[in-house]
Amino acid sequence: MTSGSTGVTANVPASPIVRVPFLDLIAQYESIRGDIDRAIAEVVRTQRFVLGSEETRFEKVFAAHAGIPHAAGCSCGTSALFIALTALGIPRGAEVIVPTLTYPATAEAVVLAGAVPVLVDVEADTGLIDIEAVEAAITPRTWGILPVHLYGQMVDMQAIAALAARHGLKVLEDAAQAHIAESRGLRPGALADAATFSFFPGKNLGAYGDAGAIVTRDATLASWMRQYRNHGRLDKYRHDFVGFNFRLDGLQAAVLEAKLPHLERWTDGRRRVASLYRAGLDGSGVTCLVERPYSKHVYHLFVVRHPQRDRLKKALAERGIDCGLHYPIPLHLQPAFADGQAKTGRFPRAESLCQELLSLPIFPEMTQEQIEYVISEVRARA
Ligand SMILES: *Cc1c(COP(=O)(O)O)cnc(C)c1O
């Protein structure tokens, strides 16, 4: 705000603080309490905690909702990635191309499966894996591509699928942040060998604990995955192959089934907040990451860039607004994945994005007052 007489920037007058949490899962619970309590009570009443009818039912409704024929429930999004890679027969030492800007679980699953994550840079304006960088990273040892639909926006899957077909590569989508997102009208799993989801409580569809799922168009693959996540057995006593315990918990399946009918509406709510943010932050000191024309973004996160990100984050926190960082350190600079080559300058777009990115609060229950307050505070302080 400038004072007309002196042209000097004055302090912003201290308006009352409005509390804006990063995410409000209590508000979500309050809005569907009856359904959730009934679903949980039913599992407790029947004591069907492991592989009862809830899991099977949820797998069916989730697949139908995702628009992909088959789903396998599992213990979390990280195990979903690991199971999918294993089911696809990933060879030891094979290379899998992974974006350097993602949650570490994406690369962890590749390492746990005995393969090598080959990191590549991302696009500066979306944070998504750069498809030209993927192509440049392909070697004779490349086995597959693991695009991440970061922040809720899908990578251009038509382009990835065409590239994979040209080079004979597998494609596994990490859709942990992208339930019911679309790329040219198609959802995760439509153009890949499989796609994985996380139902971590804070994800767009969240359980009351850890949970995950894999979707695939391949029925054989799906039944292998279901068998694998349950010790490789089909019935109580026969183990056809060595699997593990990566099962979806019955209580989580019941909660997820109760929440699923609301996902469409919640996603619309997130998209509405995002469009108000975009309009309200136009011409402010922050730059919003873009939504590509091919894509239907589901705004798991609303990410902006600012050259003094840490200062802005602190100033907003002092005004009652909780922001997040997704993610402040790219994988190539994480000791766990650096492989002795942790040097800056390797992936300049991801590196500068990581220094500038800031996730603003976004959740479907945000009130008009909260949205307008975030916009005016960001405008005043950026
Ligand atoms: C949350 C997340 C995961 C891991 O999911 P969990 O359910 O926490 O194991 C993997 N990849 C991405 C991109 C995520 O956001």
Side-chain angles (χ1 to χ4, degrees), residues 331-376:
L331 295 193
H332 69 282
L333 298 180
Q334 290 280 9
F337 300 103
D339 200 18
Q341 348 169 31
K343 60 175 196 301
T344 50
R346 191 166 154 221
F347 299 125
R349 288 190 300 262
E351 287 170 24
S352 70
L353 191 50
C354 288
Q355 290 181 359
E356 296 188 355
L357 52 73
L358 183 69
S359 308
L360 301 182
I362 189 164
F363 51 93
E365 300 80 11
M366 266 184 105
T367 63
Q368 195 68 23
E369 184 196 19
Q370 287 176 318
I371 298 166
E372 283 166 13
Y373 179 72
V374 172
I375 291 169
S376 76

Side-chain angles (χ1 to χ4, degrees), residues 76-78 81 102-103 105-106 148 174 176-177 198-200 203 210-211 327:
C76 65
T78 310
L81 286 163
T102 179
Y103 186 67
T106 317
V148 178
D174 184 343
Q177 305 185 357
S198 164
F199 306 120
F200 179 81
K203 296 286 159 77
D210 282 308
Y327 299 90

Side-chain angles (χ1 to χ4, degrees), residues 110 141 155 348 367:
V110 174
R141 288 174 308 281
V155 174
T367 63

Side-chain angles (χ1 to χ4, degrees), residues 79-90 143 172 194-196 214 221 225:
S79 62
L81 286 163
F82 175 73
I83 295 166
L85 291 167
T86 307
L88 291 169
I90 190 169
W143 172 82
L172 172 62
T196 63
I214 309 147
L221 200 63
M225 289 168 173

Side-chain angles (χ1 to χ4, degrees), residues 143-199:
W143 172 82
I145 310 173
L146 212 174
V148 178
H149 303 318
L150 198 69
Y151 309 142
Q153 169 155 247
M154 285 181 70
V155 174
D156 181 346
M157 283 308 297
Q158 282 80 356
I160 292 280
L163 182 61
R166 272 205 306 284
H167 294 270
L169 303 176
K170 301 279 187 199
V171 179
L172 172 62
E173 296 168 74
D174 184 343
Q177 305 185 357
H179 317 77
I180 72 169
E182 294 176 7
S183 166
R184 296 177 218 283
L186 296 176
R187 289 185 174 173
L191 294 177
D193 294 287
T196 63
F197 296 89
S198 164
F199 306 120

Side-chain angles (χ1 to χ4, degrees), residues 24-329:
D24 192 348
L25 289 174
I26 295 172
Q28 189 194 67
Y29 172 57
E30 297 297 345
S31 74
I32 52 167
R33 185 175 206 144
D35 294 350
I36 296 283
D37 291 358
R38 256 190 308 280
I40 292 175
E42 179 61 10
V43 178
V44 174
R45 188 187 66 78
T46 60
Q47 296 284 301
R48 277 189 316 243
F49 296 112
V50 175
L51 293 184
S53 48
E54 277 77 13
E55 292 89 327
T56 322
R57 257 200 340 256
F58 176 67
E59 283 173 343
K60 289 209 171 74
V61 290
F62 184 70
H65 206 90
I68 305 296
H70 312 283
C74 57
S75 53
C76 65
T78 310
S79 62
L81 286 163
F82 175 73
I83 295 166
L85 291 167
T86 307
L88 291 169
I90 190 169
R92 296 221 140 253
E95 293 179 356
V96 180
I97 300 173
V98 174
T100 191
L101 180 60
T102 179
Y103 186 67
T106 317
E108 273 175 344
V110 174
V111 174
L112 189 64
V116 181
V118 172
L119 304 176
V120 298
D121 210 349
V122 297
E123 300 173 342
D125 59 348
T126 62
L128 297 177
I129 193 166
D130 182 305
I131 293 176
E132 280 174 28
V134 172
E135 184 147 31
I138 294 172
T139 74
R141 288 174 308 281
T142 307
W143 172 82
I145 310 173
L146 212 174
V148 178
H149 303 318
L150 198 69
Y151 309 142
Q153 169 155 247
M154 285 181 70
V155 174
D156 181 346
M157 283 308 297
Q158 282 80 356
I160 292 280
L163 182 61
R166 272 205 306 284
H167 294 270
L169 303 176
K170 301 279 187 199
V171 179
L172 172 62
E173 296 168 74
D174 184 343
Q177 305 185 357
H179 317 77
I180 72 169
E182 294 176 7
S183 166
R184 296 177 218 283
L186 296 176
R187 289 185 174 173
L191 294 177
D193 294 287
T196 63
F197 296 89
S198 164
F199 306 120
F200 179 81
K203 296 286 159 77
N204 286 20
L205 178 63
Y208 283 6
D210 282 308
I214 309 147
V215 297
T216 177
R217 294 166 292 155
D218 183 334
T220 313
L221 200 63
S223 47
W224 192 91
M225 289 168 173
R226 285 190 207 106
Q227 196 171 347
Y228 181 77
R229 59 116 202 254
N230 188 27
H231 305 288
R233 68 186 175 193
L234 271 183
D235 64 32
K236 197 167 164 103
Y237 299 113
R238 206 182 97 169
H239 299 255
D240 293 323
F241 52 84
V242 175
F244 211 74
N245 178 354
F246 289 123
R247 293 180 300 237
L248 171 63
D249 186 87
L251 279 167
Q252 303 309 338
V255 167
L256 290 165
E257 194 189 353
K259 280 192 173 193
L260 190 60
H262 304 283
L263 181 59
E264 209 85 51
R265 177 170 58 82
W266 288 335
T267 302
D268 290 344
R270 289 176 177 276
R271 287 181 53 79
R272 180 180 152 269
V273 177
S275 75
L276 292 171
Y277 273 168
R278 278 192 196 287
L281 295 174
D282 190 37
S284 72
V286 299
T287 308
C288 301
L289 295 195
V290 307
E291 177 169 346
R292 293 265 188 252
Y294 70 78
S295 123
K296 182 179 175 199
H297 199 316
V298 296
Y299 292 99
H300 173 57
L301 297 166
F302 190 90
V303 177
V304 300
R305 297 182 70 140
H306 189 271
Q308 289 156 0
R309 185 266 316 281
D310 293 335
R311 179 191 59 74
L312 179 60
K313 182 169 188 282
K314 189 160 165 283
L316 293 172
E318 282 163 4
R319 296 291 296 158
I321 301 171
D322 291 342
C323 296
L325 302 179
H326 303 87
Y327 299 90
I329 306 176

